[in-house]
Amino acid sequence: MAGKIDPSHLQDPALRPIAEKLGAGQRLTPADGLALYATADLLGLGLLADWANRRKNGDRVFFSANQHINPTNVCVLRNTCTFCSFARMPKEDGAYTRSLDEVFHEAEQARGMPTREFHIVGGLHPKLRLSYYTDMIRGLKQRHPEVHIKELTAVEIAHLARIERTSERAVLLAMKEAGLTSLPGGGAEVFSTAVRATIAERKLTGEEWLRVHRTAHELGIPTNCTMLYGHVESAEDRVAHLGMLRALQDDTGGFLTYIPLAYHPDRNELGEEMGRVGTATTGYEDLKNIAVARLFLDNIPHVKTHWPMVTPFLSQIALSFGCDDVEGTVVYERIYHEAGARTDMHLPYLELVRLIRGAGKQPVERDSLYRAVREQFDDPPPEPALHRGPTLPVVHAA
Ligand code: V47
């Protein structure tokens, strides 16, 4: 259990009343959230977030052995989600749609790896039917019965409901019956109507995104949640977004983890308009978004750092800024690499273990439901971080 917060470590006086509230177990208000975003005392903010995280998770840091699969990049929102570099029109150069056999073939890599989760998201394809996805889930479960399936964002679920002229509930139920475990948290972007009008004009609204997740929770399907930050949104927009996630979690308890997603500006219209090509978010901003989320989302058990976006180096530091959950092995990632991420596609399992241990934390391999599946990693023993000198571990792809 974390001890008391020592206010003398906080440089910014605005953080002291917030520290008192946290110590007294009081919930932070939107004004507190704005004060956290406004502070220049990053270490003070990190101290508070680390304290809040230790109270929930102690020294344990979760990671998963997962494989990302993107069955199609064809998306009817191609021309209106201006932040996205992944989507293509059906006949555009680079457009692809995998047959089920191709998806099963890609998933075969799991046999040589310790994979426990397939993370599957794609575009809003105008023709792919619900049966494509339910057959995919059934086929994957047949071939890899132990592997959990986390598939389709709320936006894709709503799109399928429109195509099938049915309800989102019916789509979710069909996917659950086929073997779905959980939903990923993408598509939330920033809930503000004004921001969505600029970056995702025709996408599901914030209310609709929340409705799909509420329905999933009612059906016993846990989900993740996200926020895409570092583009045109304000601190007020971010705090309002976190407030809406917290309110839904109060009602349902169905969110497993929150993942702040750092905007990458290459090869997309928004990045060009903002003159941001080649300049992703800063480490300062990334750590701040992790820490504020850990403090504000007092009812969501985990906060995950997505290393493909912010680098394994920053993800390791994030473990002292409120994070207890690291994106997994991934294997092959397309969405952020299309948008300029320069990280490796894959982080080997033991590199993840070493990264977590190198931060002085206790690695815990988890399944999609955050049940611990492995906590001892002595075969072969990872190199102790203390022997590596002052630099952070270098991470190589397998
Ligand atoms: O919704 C798209 C984001 C999301 C860009 O639940 C971009 O564990 C940055 O669902 N720069 C989809 N981000 C990814 C997703 C996800 C990712 C990691 C973990 C989990 C989880 C879910 O990717 C989209 C959007 O917010 N995205 N383009 C871009 N240029």
Side-chain angles (χ1 to χ4, degrees):
M1 174 69 80
K4 282 207 162 22
I5 305 168
D6 181 351
S8 70
H9 291 128
L10 304 171
Q11 305 285 323
D12 179 357
L15 293 183
R16 293 187 190 140
I18 296 179
E20 271 172 35
K21 272 191 174 178
L22 292 169
Q26 286 169 21
R27 175 163 268 195
L28 300 189
T29 62
D32 296 327
L34 289 175
L36 295 176
Y37 269 122
T39 190
D41 181 7
L42 185 65
L43 292 182
L45 176 62
L47 192 82
L48 297 181
D50 188 48
W51 179 87
N53 174 42
R54 281 175 189 280
R55 281 187 58 172
K56 282 188 189 299
N57 300 297
D59 271 347
R60 298 171 101 212
V61 170
F62 295 88
F63 72 98
S64 67
N66 67 357
Q67 180 179 346
H68 284 220
I69 298 177
N70 307 115
T72 181
N73 63 355
V74 171
C75 186
V76 297
L77 298 182
R78 154 78 175 101
N79 294 323
T80 52
C81 281
T82 58
F83 63 88
C84 180
S85 316
F86 172 70
R88 299 286 184 279
M89 292 305 278
K91 300 239 151 58
E92 196 178 339
D93 259 10
Y96 74 84
T97 300
R98 305 264 185 261
S99 68
L100 286 181
D101 280 342
E102 286 169 335
V103 171
F104 299 147
H105 180 72
E106 186 168 341
E108 276 307 296
Q109 292 182 70
R111 299 212 188 276
M113 301 180 118
T115 306
R116 281 184 212 277
E117 177 187 89
F118 292 125
H119 164 116
I120 305 174
V121 297
L124 308 188
H125 194 289
K127 298 221 172 96
L128 288 178
R129 304 293 301 256
L130 174 59
S131 59
Y132 170 81
Y133 293 100
T134 48
D135 289 350
M136 185 187 303
I137 297 172
R138 282 201 183 87
L140 288 171
K141 287 303 266 188
Q142 250 170 26
R143 291 164 174 81
H144 311 272
E146 305 303 320
V147 179
H148 283 186
I149 299 185
K150 168 162 62 103
E151 178 157 3
L152 298 193
T153 65
V155 185
E156 291 159 283
I157 300 288
H159 172 72
L160 278 176
R162 267 194 306 274
I163 286 199
E164 297 290 343
R165 296 174 193 274
T166 185
S167 64
E168 291 148 4
R169 182 176 291 269
V171 171
L172 287 164
L173 255 183
M175 291 181 60
K176 187 178 183 196
E177 275 164 21
L180 179 82
T181 301
S182 61
L183 295 190
E189 322 316 355
V190 173
F191 293 144
S192 149
T193 316
V195 172
R196 275 180 124 69
T198 308
I199 70 161
E201 198 191 346
R202 284 180 46 225
K203 201 168 215 167
L204 215 59
T205 65
E207 288 72 26
E208 289 165 337
W209 187 96
L210 290 161
R211 184 184 68 209
V212 174
H213 281 259
R214 181 185 290 277
T215 307
H217 298 171
E218 284 166 3
L219 294 172
I221 304 170
T223 71
N224 294 346
C225 54
T226 59
M227 177 175 74
L228 181 71
Y229 67 91
H231 43 92
V232 298
E233 85 289 0
S234 64
E236 284 80 4
D237 295 327
R238 292 176 183 176
V239 171
H241 184 99
L242 296 177
M244 286 187 243
L245 295 176
R246 189 170 76 177
L248 178 56
Q249 181 74 344
D250 276 343
D251 286 353
T252 65
F255 287 131
L256 296 166
T257 193
Y258 166 79
I259 312 124
L261 298 174
Y263 169 57
H264 278 261
D266 291 7
R267 291 189 284 278
N268 59 64
E269 200 183 317
L270 184 64
E272 269 167 37
E273 270 170 17
M274 293 175 76
R276 284 271 308 278
V277 174
T279 56
T281 54
T282 61
Y284 187 92
E285 242 182 303
D286 297 329
L287 291 175
K288 206 175 225 192
N289 273 284
I290 290 274
V292 176
R294 181 58 292 162
L295 292 165
F296 204 78
L297 298 175
D298 52 18
N299 53 1
I300 298 189
H302 307 285
V303 174
K304 178 156 86 174
T305 171
H306 195 52
W307 63 259
M309 281 180 157
V310 297
T311 77
F313 306 99
L314 192 113
S315 285
Q316 190 183 42
I317 300 168
L319 303 183
S320 299
F321 280 76
C323 234
D324 71 299
D325 189 11
V326 185
E327 180 55 71
T329 43
V330 175
V331 182
Y332 196 79
E333 199 290 316
R334 294 172 182 88
I335 298 177
Y336 321 110
H337 286 88
E338 290 275 355
R342 292 184 197 95
T343 47
D344 288 330
M345 294 271 183
H346 169 58
L347 202 50
Y349 185 95
L350 283 176
E351 288 290 347
L352 274 166
V353 170
R354 190 163 59 168
L355 182 145
I356 295 166
R357 280 194 176 161
K361 303 276 183 166
Q362 173 63 48
V364 179
E365 191 205 334
R366 61 167 178 83
D367 66 11
S368 299
L369 300 170
Y370 287 79
R371 295 177 303 206
V373 292
R374 191 171 171 198
E375 302 197 48
Q376 302 297 324
F377 304 93
D378 295 331
D379 185 21
E383 191 184 337
L386 281 177
H387 296 174
R388 297 185 64 90
T391 51
L392 296 170
V394 177
V395 176
H396 299 289

